């Protein structure tokens, strides 16, 4: 079920509330884990502490990112400030990666040492408290993401979700040290946590990079957009489709073929009807439509195909985007 669309102001408020919640939880856990590290000497707990410290820095950057992204368009940023979220997300990715590298180096060094863990029961209790607080935060973040589609909050959610596994790993490592008496278990779990953090950083970077590079919408979303647009009886075809996302705002532009005998006023009326229909299905999307006389193709642009003709089994969205010059669809 799709959540109702929020306007930019409401979306910004919700994103900021999620960022403040992240900062609050990270600050609380930082204090608890710092105390646990001093009491236990656990490397796995130290890794968890380092991750929480970076969580705090990342959450502050998330707050700045969503705050800037919610600012209205101005004379120098006519498309808005939505990419501030993607920049905040990439900053988080860098922090998570550095944390993973540092923890891996320390874990490998400890494997060759003889460090022991003191008072593992305390470390397990602190990790259990961390799991409870993180579960509540992750649930709230996912509620916000469903409403706002914020890439910065989504990235924050990725590493807090990873924190759940990280805290379970800490408990497992400390339990093995206490009851299993297996030397090096703490260091092995520290290395595993480092690997998990590295994987999470790579996964979290993908959507942010797509936004910064103005990547196209997912194919399924483009197909649905074309299906809605194609319902208008006056359209003869669609071509030169371009889509992108910036923060929680979507942008799309495309050309349509209409009857060449239409007056400018008639074509404008058709564009207004089409835009209204699309906005009802894709609220908050900035839409730019250019009408062309039926059959007109600008050879200096990407190639185009008339979607009213079944040329191949290729995706209609890909045909509407066109192929590089020189390509011929059979």
């Amino acid at each position: 079920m799709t959540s109702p669309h929020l306007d930019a102001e409401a979306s910004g408020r919700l994103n900021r509330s999620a960022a403040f919640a992240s900062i609050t939880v990270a600050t609380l856990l930082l204090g608890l884990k710092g105390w646990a590290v001093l009491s236990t000497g656990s490397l796995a707990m130290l890794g968890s502490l380092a991750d929480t410290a970076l969580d705090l820095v990342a959450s502050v950057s998330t707050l700045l990112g969503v705050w800037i992204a919610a600012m209205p368009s101005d004379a120098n940023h006519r498309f808005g400030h939505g990419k501030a979220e993607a920049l905040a997300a990439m900053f988080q990715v860098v922090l998570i990666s550095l944390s993973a590298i540092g923890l891996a180096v320390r874990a490998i060094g400890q494997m060759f040492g003889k460090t022991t863990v003191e008072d593992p029961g305390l470390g397990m209790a602190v990790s259990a408290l961390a799991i409870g607080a993180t579960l509540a935060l992750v649930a709230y973040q996912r509620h916000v993401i469903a409403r706002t589609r914020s890439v910065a909050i989504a990235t924050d959610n990725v590493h807090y979700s990873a924190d759940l596994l990280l805290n379970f790993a800490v408990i497992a490592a400390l339990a093995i040290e206490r009851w299993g008496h297996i030397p090096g278990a703490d260091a092995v779990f520290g290395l595993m946590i480092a690997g998990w953090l590295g994987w999470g950083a790579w996964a979290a970077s993908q959507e942010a990079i797509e936004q910064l590079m103005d990547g196209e919408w997912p194919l399924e979303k483009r197909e649905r957009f074309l299906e809605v647009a194609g319902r208008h009886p006056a359209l003869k075809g669609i071509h030169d489709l371009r889509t992108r996302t910036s923060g929680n705002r979507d942008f799309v532009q495309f050309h349509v073929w209409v009857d060449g005998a239409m007056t400018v006023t008639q074509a404008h009326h058709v564009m207004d009807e089409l835009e209204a229909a699309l906005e009802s299905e894709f609220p908050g999307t900035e839409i730019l439509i250019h009408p062309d006389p039926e059959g007109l193709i600008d050879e200096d642009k990407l190639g185009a195909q008339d979607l009213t003709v079944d040329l191949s089994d290729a995706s209609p969205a890909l045909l509407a985007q066109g192929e590089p010059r020189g390509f011929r669809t059979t």
Side-chain angles (χ1 to χ4, degrees):
M1 179 179 179
T2 302
S3 298
H5 177 72
L6 300 176
D7 60 33
E9 184 177 352
S11 178
R13 284 198 304 268
L14 200 54
N15 284 335
R16 287 194 295 272
S17 71
F20 277 122
S22 297
I23 291 172
T24 301
V25 170
T27 302
L28 172 64
L29 296 183
L30 189 67
L32 286 173
K33 291 181 181 180
W35 172 50
V37 167
L38 292 175
S39 301
T40 66
S42 166
L43 181 59
M45 179 59 74
L46 178 61
S48 184
L49 172 66
D51 181 62
T52 299
L54 290 177
D55 284 349
L56 179 57
V57 176
S59 293
V60 171
S61 73
T62 296
L63 176 61
L64 292 175
V66 298
W67 207 302
I68 295 172
M71 292 180 178
S73 304
D74 56 38
N76 292 320
H77 304 90
R78 301 299 297 275
F79 290 99
H81 301 80
K83 287 189 177 180
E85 288 197 22
L87 290 172
M90 290 305 298
F91 179 67
Q92 292 180 57
V93 167
V94 171
L95 291 179
I96 296 169
S97 299
L98 291 174
S99 175
I101 293 171
L103 181 57
V105 170
R106 188 174 180 89
I108 292 172
Q110 183 168 309
M111 286 180 180
F112 299 97
K114 297 181 179 180
T115 304
T116 59
V117 177
E118 303 292 337
D119 195 7
L122 173 62
M124 287 187 284
V126 168
S127 294
L129 288 173
I131 289 171
T134 305
L135 277 172
L137 175 62
V138 166
Y140 181 61
Q141 286 179 326
R142 289 179 179 175
H143 164 73
V144 172
I145 294 165
R147 301 293 304 280
T148 69
R149 300 180 302 160
S150 168
V151 66
I153 301 299
T155 304
D156 216 27
N157 180 259
V158 166
H159 69 249
Y160 275 108
S161 297
D163 282 353
L164 290 173
L165 290 180
L166 186 151
N167 284 300
F168 279 117
V170 170
I171 291 174
L174 294 174
I176 291 173
E177 288 277 353
R178 179 172 184 176
W179 293 297
H181 305 291
I182 300 177
D186 185 53
V188 170
F189 273 87
L191 191 59
M192 291 170 61
I193 291 169
W196 176 260
L197 289 174
W199 172 260
W202 180 87
S205 70
Q206 301 309 297
E207 184 175 357
I209 290 173
E210 277 296 294
Q211 286 202 17
L212 291 172
M213 294 296 292
D214 285 332
E216 292 287 336
W217 291 354
L219 184 59
E220 296 78 8
K221 185 174 180 179
R222 282 176 276 161
E223 298 282 17
R224 188 163 65 89
F225 186 90
L226 289 175
E227 190 274 327
V228 174
R231 296 172 189 168
H232 199 290
L235 297 192
K236 307 299 182 180
I238 297 175
H239 61 102
D240 290 325
L241 174 68
R242 299 180 184 182
T243 61
R244 68 185 182 93
T245 298
S246 180
N248 64 350
R249 295 183 63 190
D250 284 330
F251 297 84
V252 59
Q253 64 185 67
F254 57 98
H255 290 222
V256 296
W257 283 316
V258 295
D259 187 343
M262 278 187 177
T263 65
V264 173
T265 300
Q266 290 171 328
H268 181 75
H269 181 65
V270 169
M271 298 306 105
D272 283 344
E273 292 179 340
L274 179 57
E275 186 172 338
L278 289 168
E279 285 182 344
S280 68
E281 295 284 339
F282 298 86
T285 300
E286 185 169 312
I287 301 171
L288 178 63
I289 310 172
H290 181 85
D292 288 328
E294 184 177 1
L296 177 67
I297 298 177
D298 187 344
E299 295 295 341
D300 292 331
K301 295 184 177 180
L302 294 179
Q305 301 293 352
D306 187 342
L307 299 186
T308 62
V309 180
D310 184 13
L311 295 175
S312 69
D313 292 330
S315 160
L318 297 179
L319 292 176
Q321 283 178 229
E323 298 291 347
R325 283 173 290 176
F327 179 89
R328 291 291 180 268
T329 302
T330 57

